[in-house]
Structure formats: structure tokens, C-alpha cells
């Protein structure tokens, strides 16, 4: 399965060129980078943080951080992977802060993610993310299935071993596949496995 | 929900992929907010930077200028004829620039279009002079002459400083790039500061030699931002680094704003087609540049030729005078994203040779093929699809 780096797919040199321009002082060139990636990063943050407002703040914070640290981007990973790395760590920070806030409010029990969800979600994919997946699982799913990074690349984004990501991902796949309906209907996958 | 749970794993993965790839953002783009935050952050950092560490900003030709003016090659000493033509249009009186008498600006020149000529600084056998300055609120051009160095090349190369990734370092301080010191007497990009101490902000700046004139350098900020507060007269601090000379060449350059021949219109003219609408907010015509600020929203209109494997680009705006003659500009770098929306457009163009009585804004799109390459005609010109229903005319009082 060929991995697509969105920036590379459209125009291989575009992002590298923009990065070089920004590094030599052309601040406006950063706008190109924002335009190419903002929707993906917003989507990623939305499904991890499970909140529209937090995702809007996060996407802006992530790009500002990326701009600040552009000097550190060494082109060893693809630019989008490096972008996700910043986004991933930012979202983790936000979640940690959120948990700290919640712990401090002794009136509340550990809030369900559903509290942040937009009301009236019809889309089963959205419900899956909002109700059934932890942030770690959402992250894995997005990077592997939507962005289609290899485990090696994901290891660089999340700063952990590809092997452990492979295991986590396998568990996640099982979880997705084993969801059953209330009526007890079984998916084809589990049928196949039991045979 | 129940039906979805019954789907196969690969169907679920497809659904997930589809849903997320189609996820819409609440806003068209966050680029303005992000760029604003970055701007503020840069200002803070500049204030904190120590005197010696210069952060060189806006030094190279942006994608915009390259598309309009041809490529400005910095450091090899020559610039393309297209840019030279534009420079000759700058109505500056002085030893370096040609006067266009038709514009009746020679009198303006006497009144001080060009200010502070012949300020000069000498270090280590090399003399730099500021020979001309042009400022009209949108464009700032400063011309320099160098003496004491016999070299075709005037502007030196800028090398980005290699930065090592060090996890313990939280922030990289100081300048990100430096002047190549291998040849003595080559000039660095001028650092131009306003009275407040901030560097001049421009959406499109270039520095290069001037064709046909040896030992000259032109600093040209073509799309100045936030200049209203500066007023008509102020002083700039200009600092130029010269290779193999320790001391920077520092000038205090008095600037007088060109006020004749400048038209600024604040407008609110809107045109709509289907989902797409745009509003012309501001039009600026100066002797050296034309500038258009537009707010737009909605999906980019497309023709029947822009469907299937083909797609439209973002909307670009051409401007023509009352006789239908266009000025160059308005298409600064094509981003290969179909139907890219630009909520705020701030475009610069060549100046009109004579102030027009009216200007028509002609929105158009380019066409991408399935590989997101722009379609060109037999002559290699990008094919423009004009959206005639969106044209609007602005009267110039």
C-alpha cells in the first residue's frame, strides 16, 4: 500500500521549498504550509480532543509551534510526520491539563468524553471516536488508517518503538472488528476467525 | 450504528478514512489568526534579541514576486529584464533611476520624492552610499551604491545557519541565516527599521542588483503592512553588513512619503455568483504599485471544463483600466490545491502608467489536470478561465 504524504502527493517540492523560504526569512511562505495541512491537523485534533473549540485552539497552537521550531526540522522524516509529532504531543499535553483540571474539581467524577461531543452526531464513525476510543486509540487509528504512515514513521511521531505500536494496533483492530450489534449479529470477520 | 458494526473491517477502515478525509473545518482557514500570532511572536522575539544578533527577515523574493517579475537572482549579480523594466517605472529622481517625464514627476522629484541622497559610510576601504529613497505607503525602495570594490557581484549569498537538533534546547536564539563571508565587499540584505525599532514589514520584499548599473543595490519592499501610523515623514535606520568587514554600515535615512499621484479607496463592493462572493475592500494606486484587498467566501466557481479529471484553482483577480489594458500581477504563485479558498486576498500589481478613470476587477481561475498541474496554451501561458458574472468596475474619482 503506497503511503501518501499529502504535501508530497500534490507537489513534491512545494513544502520543502516553502520550508526553506521561511527559514531564510520569508514569513509569508508559511501560509502555504498552513493551507496545505490545516484541515488534516484540525481533523486529527478534533478526534483526539473530542471538542470543536479545543481543536480550533489546538490547530493554531500547533502551527505557531511548528513555525517557531522550523529550524529544528531536519528532513529525516517527512514534513507531515513532523507536523503530526508536534500535534500529537500538543494534544497529549492538553489532555493531561484537562485531567488535572477535572481532578481538582472534586465534585465531578472522571468525565466521559461524551461531555465534549457535539450533540446530535449521526455518523457512526464520529460516534466510534467520541464514545469508544481513547485518545491513544484515536491517534493510532488516524495515523495508520487515514494518513497511512508506516509503523516506523509512527514510531518517530510518537517517540516509541514500532513494535509496541504494532501490538497496540492489532489490539485496536480486534476491538473494532469484535463490535457486535445488540441483537447478537456477528460481523463477517469474527465469523471467519472462529472457523 | 448497528449496521455499521456489521460492516467488515476493511469497510470500516474505508468509512473511517472517508469520514476523516471529508471532515470540514468550522472556518475556511485559520491562516490569518496563525500568521497574526506569528507576527506578534516575532516582534516580541526581536525586542528581546541582543543588538548583534540580527534576525534577517523577508530577505528573499517570495513566490509572489517571482511570478510577477521574473526570477530575481540574488548573489549572482544580475536580475531579469522584467524586473529591470519595473524598476525603471519607479519615479525616483536621482543618479540611479531613470525619470519618466510623462508622469510629470520631475517637479515632484524636486520637491523631495527622493530624500537623503548621498549619505555615505566608509569602513575598511569600502564606501556605501544611500543614493535614493522612494516611499508611498505601499512601497519602499532604497538604492545603494558601493565604492572601493571591483566586482561584478554586489549582493552576497545568504547561507542558512545549520541548526542541530538538540532535544534539550527549547528555543533557538539569534539569527537563522548569515552572509557568506568568502568574498570581501559583498553586501548583505539591508536591515531596515522604523522609528519604533521594529523592522519594516512587507508581504513581498526583494533585494538585488540593478541591471545596467554597476555597484548598485536596490532594497524594494513592495507590499508594506501597517504604514498608516508612520505619517508622511519619518526616519529609518538602515544597516548593511558587508562581507569581511566587521563593522556594519549604518545609515539614518529620512523618508518623505510621496503623496502626489496616490489614490486610496476604501470600498465595500460585492459581487456574487452562486455560493461564491467577493468584496473589494481597498484599492491603492501609487506611482510604483497597485494594490487590491479583497475578502471572499464560498466555494470556488468552476466551468464545465473544470470537472471530472480537471479542477479549478483558487480565484485570482486581474485588474484592467477603462480601456481593458491589464497590469501584471495578481497571481503570485499557484498552490496546487483544487478550489483553494482565500478569505482575505492582498495582491500587488504593477502600477498603471497613467492613472485610470476606472478599474475593472476580473476574477478568474486556472485549471488543474488530474496531477494538479496547471493547463497551459500552445505558447506556454497558463489558461485563464474568466468568471465574467463576477466582474465589477470601480470608478476612480
Amino acid at each position: 500500500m503506497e503511503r501518501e504524504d499529502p504535501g508530497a502527493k500534490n507537489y513534491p517540492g512545494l513544502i520543502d521549498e516553502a520550508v526553506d523560504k521561511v527559514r531564510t526569512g520569508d514569513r509569508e511562505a508559511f501560509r502555504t504550509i498552513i493551507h496545505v495541512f490545516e484541515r488534516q491537523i484540525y481533523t486529527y485534533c478534533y478526534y483526539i480532543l473530542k471538542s470543536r473549540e479545543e481543536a480550533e485552539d489546538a490547530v493554531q497552537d500547533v502551527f505557531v509551534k511548528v513555525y517557531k521550531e522550523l529550524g529544528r526540522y531536519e528532513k529525516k522524516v517527512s514534513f507531515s510526520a513532523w507536523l503530526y509529532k508536534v500535534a500529537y504531543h500538543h494534544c497529549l499535553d492538553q489532555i493531561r491539563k484537562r485531567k488535572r483540571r477535572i481532578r481538582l474539581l472534586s465534585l465531578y467524577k472522571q468525565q466521559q468524553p461524551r461531555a465534549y461531543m457535539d450533540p446530535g452526531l449521526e455518523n457512526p464513525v464520529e460516534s466510534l471516536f467520541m464514545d469508544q476510543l481513547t485518545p491513544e486509540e484515536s491517534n493510532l487509528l488516524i495515523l495508520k488508517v487515514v494518513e497511512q504512515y508506516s509503523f516506523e514513521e509512527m514510531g518517530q511521531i510518537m517517540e516509541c518503538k514500532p513494535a509496541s505500536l504494532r501490538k497496540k494496533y492489532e489490539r485496536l483492530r480486534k476491538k473494532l472488528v469484535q463490535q457486535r450489534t445488540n441483537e447478537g449479529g456477528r460481523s463477517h470477520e469474527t465469523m471467519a476467525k472462529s472457523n | 450504528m448497528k449496521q455499521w458494526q456489521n460492516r467488515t473491517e476493511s469497510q470500516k477502515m474505508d468509512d473511517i478514512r472517508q469520514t476523516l478525509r471529508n471532515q470540514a473545518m468550522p472556518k475556511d482557514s485559520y491562516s490569518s489568526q496563525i500568521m497574526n500570532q506569528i507576527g506578534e511572536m516575532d516582534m516580541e522575539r526581536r525586542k528581546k534579541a541582543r543588538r548583534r544578533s540580527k534576525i534577517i527577515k523577508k530577505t528573499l523574493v517570495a513566490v509572489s514576486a517571482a511570478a510577477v517579475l521574473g526570477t530575481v537572482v540574488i548573489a549572482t549579480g544580475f536580475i531579469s529584464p522584467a524586473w529591470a523594466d519595473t524598476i525603471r517605472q519607479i519615479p525616483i529622481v536621482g543618479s540611479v533611476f531613470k525619470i519618466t517625464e510623462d508622469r510629470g514627476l520631475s517637479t515632484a522629484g524636486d520637491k523631495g520624492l527622493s530624500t537623503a541622497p548621498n549619505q555615505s559610510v566608509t569602513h575598511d576601504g569600502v564606501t556605501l552610499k544611500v543614493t535614493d529613497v522612494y516611499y508611498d505607503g505601499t512601497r519602499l525602495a532604497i538604492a545603494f551604491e558601493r565604492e572601493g570594490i571591483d566586482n561584478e557581484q554586489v549582493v552576497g549569498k545568504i547561507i542558512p545557519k545549520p541548526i542541530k537538533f538538540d532535544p534539550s534546547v527549547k528555543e533557538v536564539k539569534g539569527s537563522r541565516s548569515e552572509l557568506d563571508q568568502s568574498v570581501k565587499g559583498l553586501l548583505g540584505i539591508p536591515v531596515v527599521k522604523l522609528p519604533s525599532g521594529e523592522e519594516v514589514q512587507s508581504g513581498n520584499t526583494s533585494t538585488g542588483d540593478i541591471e545596467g548599473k554597476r555597484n548598485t543595490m536596490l532594497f524594494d519592499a513592495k507590499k508594506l503592512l501597517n504604514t498608516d501610523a508612520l505619517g508622511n515623514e519619518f526616519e529609518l535606520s538602515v544597516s548593511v553588513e558587508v562581507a569581511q568587514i566587521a563593522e556594519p554600515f549604518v545609515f539614518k535615512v529620512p523618508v518623505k512619503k510621496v503623496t502626489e499621484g496616490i489614490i486610496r479607496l476604501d470600498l465595500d463592493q460585492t459581487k456574487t455568483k452562486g455560493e461564491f462572493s467577493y468584496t473589494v475592500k481597498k484599492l491603492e494606486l501609487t506611482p510604483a504599485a497597485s494594490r487590491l484587498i479583497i475578502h471572499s467566501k464560498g466555494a470556488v466557481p468552476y466551468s464545465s471544463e473544470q470537472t471530472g479529471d480537471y479542477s479549478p484553482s483558487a480565484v485570482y483577480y486581474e485588474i484592467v483600466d477603462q480601456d481593458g489594458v491589464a497590469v501584471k500581477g495578481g497571481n503570485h504563485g499557484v498552490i496546487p490545491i483544487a478550489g483553494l479558498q482565500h478569505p482575505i486576498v492582498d495582491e500587488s500589481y504593477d502600477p498603471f502608467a497613467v492613472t485610470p478613470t476606472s478599474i475593472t476587477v476580473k476574477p478568474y481561475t486556472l485549471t488543474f489536470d488530474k496531477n494538479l498541474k496547471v493547463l497551459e496554451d500552445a505558447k506556454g501561458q497558463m489558461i485563464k478561465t474568466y468568471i465574467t458574472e463576477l466582474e465589477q468596475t470601480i470608478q476612480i474619482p
Side-chain angles (χ1 to χ4, degrees):
Chain A
M1 188 165 46
E2 227 192 18
R3 210 198 75 67
E4 303 169 309
D5 181 37
K9 162 175 74 178
N10 288 339
Y11 184 44
L14 176 71
I15 296 301
D16 280 331
E17 217 180 278
V19 169
D20 288 336
K21 287 205 174 106
V22 176
R23 285 212 257 214
T24 45
D26 181 358
R27 189 199 296 162
E28 276 301 306
F30 194 65
R31 221 181 266 268
T32 303
I33 296 173
I34 297 173
H35 281 138
V36 172
F37 290 111
E38 62 180 333
R39 199 157 67 84
Q40 279 164 270
I41 299 294
Y42 168 81
T43 302
Y44 175 79
C45 295
Y46 174 65
Y47 283 100
I48 306 275
L49 299 172
K50 306 186 210 272
S51 151
R52 187 168 289 178
E53 274 119 20
E54 291 199 39
E56 286 191 288
D57 287 339
V59 70
Q60 293 176 60
D61 289 339
V62 166
F63 277 102
V64 173
K65 266 190 202 169
V66 162
Y67 176 83
K68 265 207 264 196
E69 320 247 297
L70 213 51
R72 289 213 226 164
Y73 170 56
E74 276 199 323
K75 304 202 181 180
K76 285 192 187 149
V77 297
S78 69
F79 186 79
S80 64
W82 189 69
L83 196 48
Y84 270 105
K85 183 170 181 168
V86 177
Y88 171 70
H89 289 103
H90 179 83
C91 287
L92 281 191
D93 277 342
Q94 297 307 110
I95 291 173
R96 255 177 256 140
K97 285 186 190 148
R98 188 198 286 169
K99 287 194 180 140
R100 247 177 286 159
R101 262 183 270 137
I102 292 170
R103 268 203 297 275
L104 291 174
L105 303 169
S106 50
L107 294 172
Y108 295 79
K109 284 195 220 165
Q110 180 73 29
Q111 282 203 340
Q112 293 304 311
R114 192 177 263 283
Y116 290 82
M117 189 184 79
D118 296 291
L121 274 183
E122 298 277 324
N123 188 324
V125 169
E126 288 214 39
S127 308
L128 168 74
F129 277 92
M130 297 303 169
D131 294 343
Q132 302 186 39
L133 298 184
T134 65
E136 283 292 342
E137 288 170 333
S138 299
N139 167 62
L140 264 187
L141 205 51
I142 295 174
L143 293 182
K144 190 84 199 99
V145 174
V146 182
E147 295 303 335
Q148 302 183 321
Y149 286 111
S150 68
F151 285 110
E152 280 68 34
E153 285 168 310
M154 284 168 66
Q156 288 171 320
I157 293 172
M158 294 159 63
E159 289 177 333
C160 59
K161 296 209 176 95
S164 56
L165 290 178
R166 244 181 257 269
K167 284 195 199 127
K168 288 186 184 159
Y169 182 68
E170 281 312 308
R171 266 179 261 148
L172 179 57
R173 279 182 62 205
K174 288 201 179 106
K175 178 170 171 175
L176 286 177
V177 154
Q178 276 162 8
Q179 287 171 331
R180 290 153 203 240
T181 66
N182 289 337
E183 272 81 10
R186 308 184 98 197
S187 74
H188 298 296
E189 291 283 339
T190 50
M191 289 271 281
K193 279 193 164 72
S194 61
N195 290 342
Chain B
M1 186 67 150
K2 295 163 190 172
Q3 285 173 325
W4 194 74
Q5 287 173 327
N6 280 337
R7 283 165 79 72
T8 63
E9 178 185 342
S10 78
Q11 282 172 331
K12 282 183 183 173
M13 296 308 192
D14 283 341
D15 290 342
I16 290 169
R17 204 172 294 128
Q18 255 237 345
T19 303
L20 266 71
R21 289 208 177 144
N22 290 331
Q23 181 75 31
M25 293 200 300
K27 277 209 174 82
D28 282 343
S29 171
Y30 295 96
S31 55
S32 345
Q33 293 95 313
I34 294 166
M35 295 304 287
N36 280 341
Q37 285 185 56
I38 288 174
E40 282 171 14
M41 185 180 77
D42 276 345
M43 274 206 291
E44 277 308 305
R45 282 204 287 189
R46 254 178 269 143
K47 285 185 191 148
K48 288 181 189 160
R50 282 169 291 140
R51 215 61 221 31
R52 288 216 152 240
S53 64
K54 295 176 206 147
I55 300 175
I56 301 174
K57 297 237 170 270
K58 298 174 190 47
T59 55
L60 299 178
V61 179
V63 175
S64 38
V68 176
L69 303 171
T71 311
V72 175
V73 180
I74 297 178
T76 64
F78 299 100
I79 59 175
S80 74
W83 196 40
D85 276 340
T86 306
I87 292 169
R88 280 182 220 123
Q89 289 180 45
I90 300 174
I92 297 178
V93 179
S95 60
V96 178
F97 301 100
K98 199 163 94 168
I99 311 163
T100 313
E101 294 224 354
D102 287 345
R103 308 225 201 152
L105 287 167
S106 34
T107 32
D110 291 333
K111 284 183 204 159
L113 242 187
S114 161
T115 56
N118 301 319
Q119 267 209 22
S120 102
V121 174
T122 306
H123 291 306
D124 199 3
V126 177
T127 300
L128 259 195
K129 283 192 201 159
V130 172
T131 53
D132 296 273
V133 178
Y134 172 86
Y135 170 70
D136 64 10
T138 285
R139 191 169 188 175
L140 169 69
I142 304 174
F144 301 82
E145 239 177 66
R146 176 187 67 183
E147 283 165 20
I149 295 281
D150 187 16
N151 191 336
E152 283 294 321
Q153 196 179 337
V154 179
V155 182
K157 260 194 285 210
I158 304 292
I159 315 171
K161 266 197 188 150
I163 296 176
K164 290 216 161 5
F165 175 69
D166 179 357
S168 64
V169 172
K170 291 285 174 203
E171 205 181 295
V172 177
K173 296 201 171 93
S175 67
R176 295 259 174 90
S177 45
E178 53 192 9
L179 175 63
D180 176 17
Q181 299 287 328
S182 54
V183 178
K184 181 174 180 183
L186 294 188
L187 309 181
I189 309 296
V191 177
V192 180
K193 293 199 176 148
L194 302 166
S196 62
E198 292 169 55
E199 268 189 70
V200 157
Q201 287 190 299
S202 158
N204 183 345
T205 305
S206 55
T207 300
D209 312 36
I210 298 166
E211 190 184 284
K213 275 253 163 212
R214 292 197 63 187
N215 287 312
T216 57
M217 174 171 77
L218 178 70
F219 169 89
D220 193 0
K222 293 181 272 264
K223 205 156 85 167
L224 294 170
L225 307 171
N226 304 321
T227 55
D228 288 335
L230 290 171
N232 287 352
E233 283 191 49
F234 53 92
E235 192 177 73
L236 294 172
S237 311
V238 179
S239 173
V240 182
E241 193 189 337
V242 180
Q244 294 188 17
I245 297 181
E247 279 203 76
F249 288 65
V250 178
F251 305 86
K252 286 266 180 259
V253 180
V255 173
K256 240 197 213 152
K257 190 174 180 180
V258 168
T259 46
E260 290 198 30
I262 296 195
I263 293 172
R264 279 207 178 91
L265 297 177
D266 284 311
L267 305 156
D268 226 337
Q269 277 180 231
T270 305
K271 213 69 200 268
T272 306
K273 179 185 175 174
E275 278 181 49
F276 182 81
S277 75
Y278 76 99
T279 304
V280 181
K281 300 294 286 182
K282 209 179 200 165
L283 174 68
E284 249 175 39
L285 303 175
T286 78
S290 310
R291 189 168 177 182
L292 195 58
I293 296 182
I294 283 176
H295 292 180
S296 75
K297 61 180 179 199
V300 169
Y302 55 90
S303 70
S304 51
E305 283 100 19
Q306 292 170 327
T307 53
D309 274 345
Y310 298 94
S311 51
S313 67
V315 177
Y316 298 99
Y317 302 88
E318 190 176 274
I319 50 175
V320 301
D321 65 13
Q322 67 279 357
D323 300 319
V325 179
V327 284
K328 280 195 258 180
N331 178 348
H332 296 146
V334 181
I335 297 177
I337 295 176
L340 179 63
Q341 295 184 30
H342 292 299
I344 299 181
V345 172
D346 181 358
E347 278 299 358
S348 58
Y349 306 75
D350 279 2
F352 286 91
V354 173
T355 305
T357 54
S358 75
I359 284 186
T360 301
V361 179
K362 298 173 63 172
Y364 66 91
T365 54
L366 304 170
T367 305
F368 292 131
D369 65 16
K370 63 172 188 247
N371 296 317
L372 290 174
K373 284 195 73 184
V374 179
L375 294 185
E376 293 174 351
D377 64 16
K379 293 186 205 152
Q381 301 288 326
M382 298 192 283
I383 297 177
K384 296 182 182 176
T385 302
Y386 288 94
I387 309 164
T388 47
E389 303 98 311
L390 284 176
E391 283 178 19
Q392 47 178 317
T393 302
I394 301 166
Q395 296 301 326
I396 312 290

